[in-house]
């Protein structure tokens, strides 16, 4: 085929694809209630932001984490950096709080933890 003929074929195929998608109708799940064999798939779309329970605003959120001091968990491993010695595992716990940017009150909080290794190796 020549180039012009190929362009026409592609144009017709694209037009048909657009027509099929344009005239395809979505059927709600409630329309299939009477059928026993029907497979019903319902999709729940969650909102991006939930309104603040204190002021009702959904303007924005601010996340902050308040950390406690590091402490040793008691776990050990061979030192990664030096031929002798061990590394000790450290942990710190924190409280992650989501605050409403409109009224400044806390919306939710979650306990979080971080882990790290402290080197006690030597040459």
């Amino acid at each position: 085929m020549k180039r012009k003929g190929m362009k026409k074929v592609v144009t017709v195929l694209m037009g048909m694809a657009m027509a099929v998608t344009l005239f395809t109708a979505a059927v709600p799940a409630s329309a299939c209630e009477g059928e026993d064999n029907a497979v019903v798939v319902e999709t729940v779309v969650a909102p991006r932001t939930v309104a603040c329970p204190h002021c009702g605003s959904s303007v924005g959120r601010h996340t902050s984490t308040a950390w406690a001091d590091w402490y040793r968990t008691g776990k050990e491993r061979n030192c990664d950096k030096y031929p002798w010695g061990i590394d000790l595992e450290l942990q710190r716990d924190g409280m992650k709080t989501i605050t409403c940017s409109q009224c400044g009150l806390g919306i939710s909080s979650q306990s979080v933890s971080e882990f790290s290794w402290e080197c006690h190796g030597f040459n």
Side-chain angles (χ1 to χ4, degrees), residues 94-115:
M95 189 60 70
K96 179 179 177 182
T97 304
I98 299 175
T99 307
C100 176
S101 60
Q102 189 72 24
C103 67
L105 295 175
I107 296 172
S108 68
S109 56
Q110 175 185 10
S111 177
V112 291
S113 296
E114 281 188 347
F115 296 90

Side-chain angles (χ1 to χ4, degrees), residues 5-66:
M6 191 61 151
K7 278 187 175 181
K8 287 182 181 179
V9 170
V10 170
T11 303
V12 169
L13 289 174
M14 293 297 286
M16 289 172 52
M18 287 176 37
V20 167
T21 58
L22 183 65
F23 295 112
T24 302
V27 179
S30 60
C32 300
E33 286 179 1
E35 300 178 25
D36 294 333
N37 301 354
V39 175
V40 179
V41 177
E42 293 184 4
T43 304
V44 177
V45 178
R48 283 190 170 188
T49 59
V50 178
C52 173
H54 306 291
C55 69
S57 171
S58 60
V59 173
R61 305 282 187 267
H62 173 70
T63 304
S64 63
T65 306

Side-chain angles (χ1 to χ4, degrees), residues 54-123:
H54 306 291
C55 69
S57 171
S58 60
V59 173
R61 305 282 187 267
H62 173 70
T63 304
S64 63
T65 306
W67 293 103
D69 292 333
W70 289 97
Y71 62 91
R72 292 181 181 162
T73 62
K75 291 183 183 177
E76 298 178 355
R77 68 177 184 192
N78 290 332
C79 183
D80 287 342
K81 297 178 186 175
Y82 299 103
W84 292 284
I86 58 170
D87 292 341
L88 301 175
E89 186 182 45
L90 301 176
Q91 178 180 347
R92 70 175 178 172
D93 301 318
M95 189 60 70
K96 179 179 177 182
T97 304
I98 299 175
T99 307
C100 176
S101 60
Q102 189 72 24
C103 67
L105 295 175
I107 296 172
S108 68
S109 56
Q110 175 185 10
S111 177
V112 291
S113 296
E114 281 188 347
F115 296 90
S116 181
W117 289 95
E118 184 178 63
C119 179
H120 287 271
F122 57 93
N123 280 330

